[in-house]
Amino acid sequence: MAKTIHRGDYRAPTHLIDTIRLEFDLDAETTKVKSVMEVRPNPDSAEQGAALFLNGEDIELVSVSLNGRKLTSGEYRIDKTGLYIPGIRSEAQIEIENTFSPKANTELSGIYSSGENLMSQCESQGFRRITFFEDRPDVLSRYTTVVRGAIDTYPVMLSNGNQTLERTLEDGRRELTFVDPFPKPCYLFALVAGKLVCRASKFDLKDGRTVDLSVWVDPQDIDKTEHTLESLKRAIRWDEERWGLELDLKDFKIVATNDFNFGAMENKGLNVFNSRCALANPAVATDDDYLRIEGVVGHEYFHNWTGDRVTLRDWFQLTLKEGLTVFRDQEFSADMLGAPSARAVQRIRDVNVLRTAQFLEDAGPMAHPIRPDSYQNINNFYTVTVYEKGAEVIRMLQTLLGREVFRKGFDLYIQQNDGHAVTCEAFLSAMAEASGRDLSQFANWYSQSGTPRVTVRSVWDDDNHRLTLTATQATPATPGQPVKKPFLIPFPVAFLDRNGKEMPVQLAEEDEAPLAGTRMFELDREKCEWVFGGLAERPVLSLNRGFAAPVILDAGQTIDDRAFLAAFDPDPFNRWDAMNRLLIDAVHEQTRARLLHQSVDVNPLVTNAAGQILRDETLSPAFKAVALAMPSEKLIAEEDPLIDPHAVHAAWLAVRLAVAEKNLNALLEAAQSNAVDGPYEPTPEKAGRRALRNLALGYAHAAGNPRAAIMIKEQFQQANNLTDRLASLRMMCNSQTPAKQDMELETLKEWHDQPLLINKWLAIQATAPSFPGETPVIERVRQLMQCEFFSIRNPNNVYSLLIPFFQQNPSEFHQPDGSGYAFWAETVLELNAINAQVASRVARSLDNWRRFTPALAEKMHAALESVAAKKSELSPNVAEIIEKALSSPL
């Protein structure tokens, strides 16, 4: 069993490494490394006199020298975890030579082969796969990197920092030297080499300096880099204007690769990106891809200060850089959209991700606070909790303190901690100092897991025209945390009159009424009560506007209340939320009816509310598209006491059909009027129109409308952008029409040798339904795994075909005979031997197995046990996921 690491057991490093000089002789089969480190005992260590321990994994030691003297094997100790060198009690120079094989590195951690290129990924613990080193984030060193390689094999060689020297060696190889002026932890080290080309540009900073920006890719991808480079320029300028932070290097480079475990990595000055998060043109990227790329480019660049210049003491503090930087990239994306309506749509999308993925995580065996207390493998905690919920916690601080005070606290945080490895307390301390507030209760958001349930009940006093509002908070037990303390929760309140107009929110004891609109309160106890007066009529409540807090809200609303808010709430988030809730509840009602073998019509309030939004000319097309989108089956099912995925799927189809049939003419009109002519542009306005058109076509096609089918086919053939072509393909593949086979074959022939496109094609296949007479989806997925364009060694292929099938196609994955679970177990074990990080992501597909019907849960349990039975072969990553899934009562 893997060792559990606890946050409370943190010990400062025994030694510090002030500088390191790395020399690489590159070769895909065997790369040679020489490292020269200036080492000294750490005066803050509680273990004075302890041996220096340097992590090392899957690398071959050649020699160790201390102060110029080569050590014998009896003067050090080496095991599978690293190298121990005793007796270093003063400043010393250590020189180590070792080798490793990039080609054999299927984990894609450390330095590895990606086609003919060499790429690197050191976060979180990849540097130990390059050379022996204190692989922990609180050891900050200045790096000099010397890279040597054959010019025909590695014409481009890149590393962190500024290039200071280039020369040709006697053997014809080229040697480059890079010096990084800033101390950094080893997880930010990067090295890239290969046959790459770049799109480059000069950029003028606000402080008067001019810097070099570049995006490096395989030659065939150079036409997909313009958007990436322009996004980088926008991110640099935004960070200057919004946060006062300048780029601190002479140049900044982005590299894209098709072989990458993550989305992107913020290595200091040399970001490495997964191609799907970096490459775009109208033929290979959708509107959503353009948005995502801009956001990810911003995210990685913003880490330059929140993550690189101010870094982490230990990996438990991961949300300190990731939660804060996700918040910053969300704000950046919203600001780039410009119009308030577009910002609101972006907020809805962000919250939808949180509710669909993070709320589910909070309710399962892997529930953990945004700062975990323990882990067996840190790579399992790069989660939506640490990232997205962490961002919501930062957003709540800004809401509670106000934007101006929050900025003051942010500036203090940077000033006080620049160049240091710190904990989450450093951020909270800066905010407390700037605001003068005691934030000790707010810190519960960092230490407690689970999603708070806020229940609101109101009592109307008709005689005195007063409203009493009672709000209670309770957080369910999660693994290791049976009892929770109250959170400090921002609690915005608004009142609407019968015409949907905002009313003043006036406390009964107040003499003067505030302006009508939203008023902020704080829920800081298990139960809070407020009495409001000055009300001409009983108001309709509009609460938690803008999703001010990541809570599950029960406001005791009736279906009439929700229909009213869906029609009239001036707050766009709450208007969307009301419509979304109407659709979710309608699916629940249909699910219950099916389980009871009853027939129930969808409530006309739901279908009418959808029609009202569709016809409202004051709403943007983009808002209509998100408001009318059917909620995911997975999100809906998680609210059921016992999940029957097939009943939920049938209910979901019934609600979609009811909305479509009731509003068919309006849907067809929306599809027709929102066609976008002219050259493709991924602007918010045009993207919104495309989104509404495709949503309307999807509804109309689901209703069996022949006109919609014709429009979809025409769009597929005539579209000048991938957004519309892909939407057409998906709509056809999700239907019984025979025409889908021609579309599938046409796009397969066109896309099979283009990684970005074939992965989108695979995802459509994995998430499509199967109809009577068709090959079951599970068999289609197995067949596709044997095709030349799929490799289980490629993370993007796995993320496109296997994870969508396991996690986004519940009615096909959860087969009554358990075949889906057996396939899952096979896949986890196969991946476990190839890439443990990818395997652990697949392993999480059965996290919430206990929530399903007994027949399904029994078969899921058997599949989990079949994987657990191979415990001697399991990586720590996978072992932790399986162990928690089996042992947790959730």
Side-chain angles (χ1 to χ4, degrees):
M1 183 179 294
K3 177 184 177 182
T4 299
I5 301 169
H6 297 273
R7 180 165 58 88
D9 293 339
Y10 170 82
R11 299 292 182 271
T14 60
H15 295 76
L16 300 177
I17 302 174
D18 294 318
T19 65
I20 177 172
R21 178 184 173 89
L22 291 166
E23 297 183 18
F24 291 90
D25 290 287
L26 299 180
D27 181 79
E29 296 290 345
T30 304
T31 287
K32 299 176 182 179
V33 186
K34 181 170 81 171
S35 68
V36 180
M37 298 172 282
E38 301 297 330
V39 181
R40 60 186 171 91
N42 181 6
D44 296 328
S45 172
E47 303 172 83
Q48 296 297 318
L52 169 66
F53 173 65
L54 303 174
N55 302 92
E57 183 179 316
D58 290 342
I59 55 179
E60 294 293 328
L61 178 65
V62 176
S63 66
V64 184
S65 298
L66 177 62
N67 292 326
R69 183 179 68 83
K70 189 173 183 177
L71 300 184
T72 66
S73 60
E75 293 178 285
Y76 60 84
R77 181 168 65 88
I78 189 169
D79 62 22
K80 65 179 182 179
T81 65
L83 179 66
Y84 298 80
I85 306 175
I88 301 178
R89 295 181 171 83
S90 60
E91 293 183 4
Q93 184 183 85
I94 296 175
E95 180 178 311
I96 296 176
E97 294 184 9
N98 67 272
T99 64
F100 64 88
S101 174
K103 191 173 183 179
N105 184 356
T106 63
E107 294 282 350
L108 310 189
S109 174
I111 293 177
Y112 59 90
S113 293
S114 174
E116 295 183 338
N117 302 323
L118 299 183
M119 295 289 166
S120 65
Q121 170 59 28
C122 291
E123 187 176 356
S124 61
Q125 296 174 339
F127 195 76
R128 65 189 62 185
R129 300 170 65 86
I130 297 173
T131 191
F132 294 93
F133 195 77
E134 287 184 295
D135 192 352
R136 46 189 294 169
D138 56 351
V139 174
L140 276 62
S141 312
R142 283 186 167 84
Y143 283 68
T144 298
T145 305
V146 179
V147 191
R148 306 182 190 101
I151 194 167
D152 57 338
T153 307
Y154 304 115
V156 172
M157 299 184 293
L158 308 170
S159 191
N160 311 84
N162 302 312
Q163 182 182 322
T164 59
L165 182 66
E166 176 178 357
R167 65 178 183 141
T168 301
L169 305 177
E170 291 183 0
D171 59 8
R173 292 183 302 157
R174 199 159 55 107
E175 178 184 275
L176 302 181
T177 300
F178 299 87
V179 177
D180 192 337
F182 299 98
K184 64 173 181 281
C186 65
Y187 80 85
L188 292 174
F189 173 80
L191 185 152
V192 171
K195 298 172 181 176
L196 302 170
V197 296
C198 80
R199 181 185 296 271
S201 178
K202 300 284 186 181
F203 188 74
D204 296 328
L205 302 178
K206 279 188 167 293
D207 65 4
R209 290 181 296 125
T210 298
V211 294
D212 294 312
L213 308 178
S214 55
V215 180
W216 295 82
V217 295
D218 289 323
Q220 69 270 19
D221 292 326
I222 192 65
D223 64 334
K224 307 176 185 75
T225 54
E226 181 179 4
H227 179 66
T228 310
L229 187 59
E230 294 306 310
S231 295
L232 177 59
K233 293 177 182 179
R234 289 191 291 272
I236 294 171
R237 184 68 75 221
W238 184 84
D239 219 19
E240 290 176 325
E241 295 175 347
R242 174 77 184 266
W243 302 102
L245 298 176
E246 297 277 1
L247 174 58
D248 52 4
L249 296 169
K250 296 178 181 178
D251 62 28
F252 194 95
K253 300 178 283 289
I254 290 174
V255 179
T257 174
N258 287 317
D259 300 290
F260 204 68
N261 286 337
F262 299 95
M265 177 60 205
E266 71 267 19
N267 316 299
K268 182 71 177 177
L270 178 56
N271 290 182
V272 179
F273 275 57
N274 192 315
S275 293
R276 62 187 171 88
C277 295
L279 302 181
N281 66 28
V284 302
T286 65
D287 293 330
D288 287 344
D289 291 331
Y290 275 89
L291 276 174
R292 184 179 70 253
I293 289 168
E294 182 178 66
V296 175
V297 168
H299 180 96
E300 303 309 327
Y301 174 75
F302 302 146
H303 267 314
N304 190 53
W305 283 92
T306 51
D308 294 5
R309 288 284 289 263
V310 181
T311 193
L312 314 176
R313 186 195 73 175
D314 55 70
W315 289 116
F316 292 101
Q317 319 300 326
L318 185 58
T319 199
L320 178 65
K321 74 180 183 79
E322 296 300 347
L324 176 56
T325 306
V326 169
F327 166 75
R328 295 199 327 121
D329 82 53
Q330 289 176 348
E331 290 287 280
F332 166 66
S333 295
D335 283 349
M336 293 303 101
L337 291 170
S341 61
R343 289 180 59 93
V345 169
Q346 184 62 39
R347 179 63 180 148
I348 290 165
R349 288 172 173 157
D350 292 339
V351 172
N352 215 12
V353 170
L354 187 84
R355 285 181 170 174
T356 302
Q358 195 282 319
F359 280 16
L360 172 61
E361 187 167 77
D362 252 347
M366 283 293 290
H368 54 277
I370 64 170
R371 179 168 67 175
D373 291 320
S374 65
Y375 61 77
Q376 292 178 18
N377 190 287
I378 184 56
N379 289 321
N380 287 336
F381 288 85
Y382 284 75
T383 61
V384 284
T385 296
V386 168
Y387 280 64
E388 275 72 21
K389 185 176 180 179
E392 294 300 317
V393 171
I394 301 298
R395 187 177 298 277
M396 281 191 290
L397 264 180
Q398 180 173 264
T399 299
L400 289 165
L401 304 182
R403 185 161 167 164
E404 184 177 339
V405 173
F406 181 86
R407 169 62 192 274
K408 181 181 176 183
F410 179 87
D411 290 346
L412 275 175
Y413 168 68
I414 297 295
Q415 293 164 11
Q416 294 171 350
N417 301 289
D418 186 13
H420 298 282
V422 298
T423 66
C424 295
E425 281 74 15
F427 187 79
L428 288 173
S429 175
M431 290 295 163
E433 182 179 344
S435 65
R437 288 194 60 168
D438 179 358
L439 296 176
S440 55
Q441 183 184 10
F442 187 82
N444 289 340
W445 286 102
Y446 285 82
S447 60
Q448 293 186 158
S449 57
T451 305
R453 272 65 169 170
V454 174
T455 302
V456 179
R457 294 294 180 265
S458 61
V459 177
W460 173 249
D461 179 352
D462 198 40
D463 293 333
N464 298 298
H465 279 226
R466 288 189 172 189
L467 183 78
T468 300
L469 208 61
T470 303
T472 60
Q473 61 165 298
T475 305
T478 52
Q481 294 187 346
V483 180
K484 306 297 174 73
K485 299 176 183 177
F487 289 96
L488 174 58
I489 301 173
F491 187 65
V493 175
F495 296 153
L496 305 181
D497 67 18
R498 68 187 67 184
N499 297 313
K501 302 297 183 183
E502 293 178 329
M503 306 166 69
V505 182
Q506 179 182 2
L507 292 169
E509 65 268 21
E510 294 176 338
D511 295 327
E512 295 185 11
L515 295 175
T518 306
R519 184 167 180 180
M520 186 63 67
F521 295 89
E522 294 180 8
L523 182 55
D524 57 359
R525 302 181 301 279
E526 289 186 2
K527 181 178 180 179
C528 293
E529 185 174 283
W530 301 274
V531 179
F532 300 96
L535 296 166
E537 60 183 87
R538 179 168 188 164
V540 176
L541 304 180
S542 177
L543 306 175
N544 201 30
R545 286 185 146 189
F547 201 69
V551 301
I552 294 174
L553 177 65
D554 173 9
Q557 293 169 329
T558 66
I559 190 171
D560 295 280
D561 292 333
R562 290 190 174 125
F564 177 86
L565 292 171
F568 298 113
D569 198 327
D571 181 79
F573 177 86
N574 276 16
R575 189 169 186 181
W576 165 82
D577 194 34
M579 187 66 239
N580 192 249
R581 193 70 246 177
L582 285 171
L583 292 169
I584 291 172
D585 289 346
V587 177
H588 284 316
E589 184 179 34
Q590 291 295 312
T591 303
R592 288 190 294 269
R594 276 158 175 75
L595 293 174
L596 295 172
H597 305 289
Q598 297 174 350
S599 178
V600 177
D601 291 335
V602 174
N603 194 310
L605 282 174
V606 178
T607 56
N608 290 338
Q612 191 165 354
I613 286 176
L614 190 59
R615 295 177 178 87
D616 190 335
E617 295 183 359
T618 67
L619 299 175
S620 71
F623 179 83
K624 293 179 183 181
V626 295
L628 298 178
M630 286 292 295
S632 78
E633 294 175 45
K634 189 173 182 180
L635 181 149
I636 295 168
E638 286 300 325
E639 296 185 352
D640 289 334
L642 203 61
I643 300 173
D644 184 328
H646 301 96
V648 172
H649 180 63
W652 187 93
L653 292 174
V655 173
R656 182 182 65 168
L657 180 61
V659 172
E661 290 180 337
K662 174 67 175 179
N663 300 287
L664 184 57
N665 290 334
L667 289 164
L668 291 170
E669 170 58 28
Q672 190 69 46
S673 62
N674 282 282
V676 180
D677 298 323
Y680 172 76
E681 294 177 310
T683 62
E685 189 271 333
K686 291 185 176 181
R689 289 173 60 191
R690 279 187 288 269
L692 180 56
R693 172 181 167 83
N694 286 314
L695 177 122
L697 285 174
Y699 268 114
H701 189 51
N705 183 264
R707 182 180 165 198
I710 293 171
M711 293 172 72
I712 292 168
K713 292 176 187 176
E714 289 178 346
Q715 177 173 279
F716 178 80
Q717 297 296 338
Q718 300 170 11
N720 64 352
N721 64 88
L722 185 65
T723 301
D724 287 338
R725 288 199 77 199
L726 203 66
S728 296
L729 178 63
R730 183 178 292 108
M731 285 183 269
M732 284 298 186
C733 289
N734 289 347
S735 73
Q736 290 183 269
T737 176
K740 67 181 178 182
Q741 295 179 0
D742 292 336
M743 284 189 181
E744 288 172 332
L745 288 174
E746 181 179 338
T747 48
L748 178 59
K749 290 177 181 178
E750 183 181 344
W751 297 350
H752 74 278
D753 60 348
Q754 299 185 59
L756 293 173
L757 292 171
I758 196 60
N759 283 327
K760 294 180 187 298
W761 189 90
L762 289 171
I764 289 176
Q765 301 302 311
T767 54
S770 60
F771 296 95
E774 295 183 346
T775 303
V777 176
I778 186 172
E779 294 306 319
R780 292 211 303 264
V781 171
R782 284 185 179 276
Q783 292 168 7
L784 289 169
M785 290 178 69
Q786 306 307 313
C787 295
E788 62 179 8
F789 49 76
F790 179 89
S791 170
I792 200 167
R793 294 174 178 269
N794 179 266
N796 285 351
N797 285 170
V798 176
Y799 301 156
S800 299
L801 180 65
L802 297 175
I803 287 183
F805 174 66
F806 295 139
Q807 299 180 10
Q808 298 168 30
N809 198 346
S811 64
E812 296 291 339
F813 173 55
H814 295 284
Q815 290 297 312
D817 63 1
S819 57
Y821 313 141
F823 177 37
W824 165 87
E826 295 170 20
T827 304
V828 170
L829 291 173
E830 184 176 0
L831 279 166
N832 175 74
I834 298 169
N835 188 322
Q837 292 183 49
V838 176
S840 65
R841 294 191 185 192
V842 174
R844 293 205 57 184
S845 304
L846 297 192
D847 271 4
N848 289 17
W849 65 274
R850 296 177 189 271
R851 298 284 320 286
F852 286 76
T853 59
L856 293 176
E858 181 182 358
K859 290 180 173 63
M860 281 189 265
H861 180 260
L864 285 161
E865 288 285 7
S866 72
V867 176
K870 305 286 186 180
K871 60 182 178 181
S872 63
E873 303 170 16
L874 296 182
S875 64
N877 309 57
V878 173
E880 180 175 22
I881 300 296
I882 301 299
E883 176 190 331
K884 289 185 174 180
L886 286 170
S887 62
S888 172
L890 297 180

